[in-house]
Amino acid sequence: MSTIAPTVAQSAKPPILPLDFNANQPETIRLYPLTNYTFGVKETQPEEDQSVIARLQRLQEHYAEHGMRRTCEGILVCHEHNHPHILMLQIANAFFKLPGDYLRPEDEEIEGFKARLDERLAPVGRLGEGEEAGDWQIGDCLAQWWRPNFETFMYPFVPAHVTRPKECKKLYFIQLPKSKVLSVPKNMKLLAVPLFELYDNTARYGPQLSAIPHLLSRYNFEFVDEDGNVVALTPGTGPDGSKFKTKVLAGDDDVDMSHANDNPAGN
């Protein structure tokens, strides 16, 4: 029985090269691999409120004394297999949130934000080599979410009938350095969530977190390996998507992440 040698199919026509499509491009963001970062745990940071009702009551008290509450959260991005991953906290195996928190009434915005990032992610008693307190590179403000009333709902705009919103939450892009030591409170988990997992996934992550892929679409990325070599560029192609999954970086990793967070992200 004769065998036929396989042939490689080739197009009869060369590809059509379009005109340049790079006008008005933003700066290219360099992403370092997840393996460049060191993750640990530190003392528990109990939640200030034991229920949603208690949280909204505290917001009401804050508003009565200080006016609109200011909240800042960070979008920290690294990569694995040349695909962006977002560093995210999971609290009590129940809901996801970005690192950050509300600012103290007396705090200036950026310095206050850096202090809240330190509270969540900086190691206690020892910073990484060459690091100092507040060593965060705060980038673009990518989104603003508004809480019009003492309710859980937040919107990416101020409703027309609202003149005194109760809270404004800003999401900032945080440029991670080549390496960094990060520690998470023992009662939380630090996760690396692939970008495609967030996209259009409001049922799991809520509207704010599932919008992150849209927010980051404005950027071009270059992906760097552990030796500092650029190994891929946007648009680029990565390996098979089956290799991507949410990773537990620090905290209790005994929980099956495939069913975690049946409740969407908290606001």
Side-chain angles (χ1 to χ4, degrees), residues 70-84:
R70 303 168 301 151
T71 297
C72 294
E73 294 181 349
I75 298 177
L76 287 67
V77 192
C78 57
H79 81 85
E80 189 171 50
H81 303 304
N82 304 334
H83 183 77

Side-chain angles (χ1 to χ4, degrees), residues 85-158:
H85 284 57
I86 308 300
L87 299 187
M88 196 173 297
L89 297 168
Q90 189 184 28
I91 300 176
N93 295 324
F95 64 91
F96 301 94
K97 68 176 298 183
L98 296 170
D101 213 328
Y102 65 89
L103 304 181
R104 299 179 181 88
E106 67 274 12
D107 284 349
E108 184 273 334
E109 183 174 339
I110 299 302
E111 292 307 312
F113 181 28
K114 290 180 178 180
R116 300 318 298 258
L117 286 174
D118 275 348
E119 288 179 12
R120 283 290 194 236
L121 295 178
V124 175
R126 181 186 65 83
L127 292 173
E129 183 178 353
E131 295 183 16
E132 298 179 354
D135 187 17
W136 301 95
Q137 185 175 339
I138 309 298
D140 295 328
C141 179
L142 299 182
Q144 295 183 102
W145 288 80
W146 303 87
R147 192 186 306 274
N149 298 301
F150 299 114
E151 301 172 345
T152 57
F153 299 109
M154 297 190 78
Y155 301 87
F157 55 86
V158 180

Side-chain angles (χ1 to χ4, degrees), residues 41 44-45 47 73 86-100 120-121 183-193 197-198 203-205 209 246-266:
V41 295
T44 296
Q45 293 180 1
E47 285 292 287
E73 294 181 349
I86 308 300
L87 299 187
M88 196 173 297
L89 297 168
Q90 189 184 28
I91 300 176
N93 295 324
F95 64 91
F96 301 94
K97 68 176 298 183
L98 296 170
R120 283 290 194 236
L121 295 178
S183 289
V184 62
K186 287 191 292 186
N187 58 316
M188 304 179 188
K189 284 190 290 189
L190 183 63
L191 310 174
V193 183
E197 167 71 13
L198 294 172
R204 182 176 176 84
Y205 294 101
L209 301 182
T246 296
K247 283 193 167 185
V248 178
L249 306 176
D252 183 10
D253 60 356
D254 294 333
V255 178
D256 181 2
M257 287 302 299
S258 64
H259 300 290
N261 198 51
D262 290 332
N263 297 317

Side-chain angles (χ1 to χ4, degrees), residues 12-234:
K13 297 182 179 180
I16 298 174
L17 300 179
L19 293 177
D20 182 77
F21 200 52
N22 294 306
N24 298 323
Q25 289 292 300
E27 63 176 324
T28 297
I29 303 296
R30 172 165 289 194
L31 300 183
Y32 295 96
L34 186 61
T35 51
N36 274 26
Y37 304 102
T38 302
F39 303 99
V41 295
K42 56 186 178 182
E43 289 303 311
T44 296
Q45 293 180 1
E47 285 292 287
E48 294 183 80
D49 308 303
Q50 300 302 313
S51 67
V52 174
I53 294 176
R55 182 177 56 176
L56 295 177
Q57 177 62 36
R58 184 164 54 86
L59 173 62
Q60 193 165 353
E61 293 170 355
H62 180 284
Y63 182 82
E65 185 173 355
H66 305 289
M68 184 187 74
R69 185 164 70 181
R70 303 168 301 151
T71 297
C72 294
E73 294 181 349
I75 298 177
L76 287 67
V77 192
C78 57
H79 81 85
E80 189 171 50
H81 303 304
N82 304 334
H83 183 77
H85 284 57
I86 308 300
L87 299 187
M88 196 173 297
L89 297 168
Q90 189 184 28
I91 300 176
N93 295 324
F95 64 91
F96 301 94
K97 68 176 298 183
L98 296 170
D101 213 328
Y102 65 89
L103 304 181
R104 299 179 181 88
E106 67 274 12
D107 284 349
E108 184 273 334
E109 183 174 339
I110 299 302
E111 292 307 312
F113 181 28
K114 290 180 178 180
R116 300 318 298 258
L117 286 174
D118 275 348
E119 288 179 12
R120 283 290 194 236
L121 295 178
V124 175
R126 181 186 65 83
L127 292 173
E129 183 178 353
E131 295 183 16
E132 298 179 354
D135 187 17
W136 301 95
Q137 185 175 339
I138 309 298
D140 295 328
C141 179
L142 299 182
Q144 295 183 102
W145 288 80
W146 303 87
R147 192 186 306 274
N149 298 301
F150 299 114
E151 301 172 345
T152 57
F153 299 109
M154 297 190 78
Y155 301 87
F157 55 86
V158 180
H161 64 282
V162 174
T163 58
R164 298 181 181 181
K166 306 307 183 285
E167 180 178 6
C168 178
K169 178 190 291 187
K170 290 186 177 182
L171 304 186
Y172 278 97
F173 180 83
I174 307 295
Q175 177 68 64
L176 284 173
K178 183 177 181 179
S179 63
K180 194 172 182 67
V181 179
L182 301 172
S183 289
V184 62
K186 287 191 292 186
N187 58 316
M188 304 179 188
K189 284 190 290 189
L190 183 63
L191 310 174
V193 183
L195 211 59
F196 76 86
E197 167 71 13
L198 294 172
Y199 176 69
D200 199 27
N201 199 350
T202 56
R204 182 176 176 84
Y205 294 101
Q208 296 174 30
L209 301 182
S210 62
I212 289 176
H214 295 276
L215 302 177
L216 294 180
S217 67
R218 61 172 295 186
Y219 294 115
N220 290 324
F221 294 112
E222 61 180 17
F223 304 94
V224 180
D225 64 15
E226 295 178 0
D227 298 320
N229 302 309
V230 177
V231 294
L233 295 167
T234 301

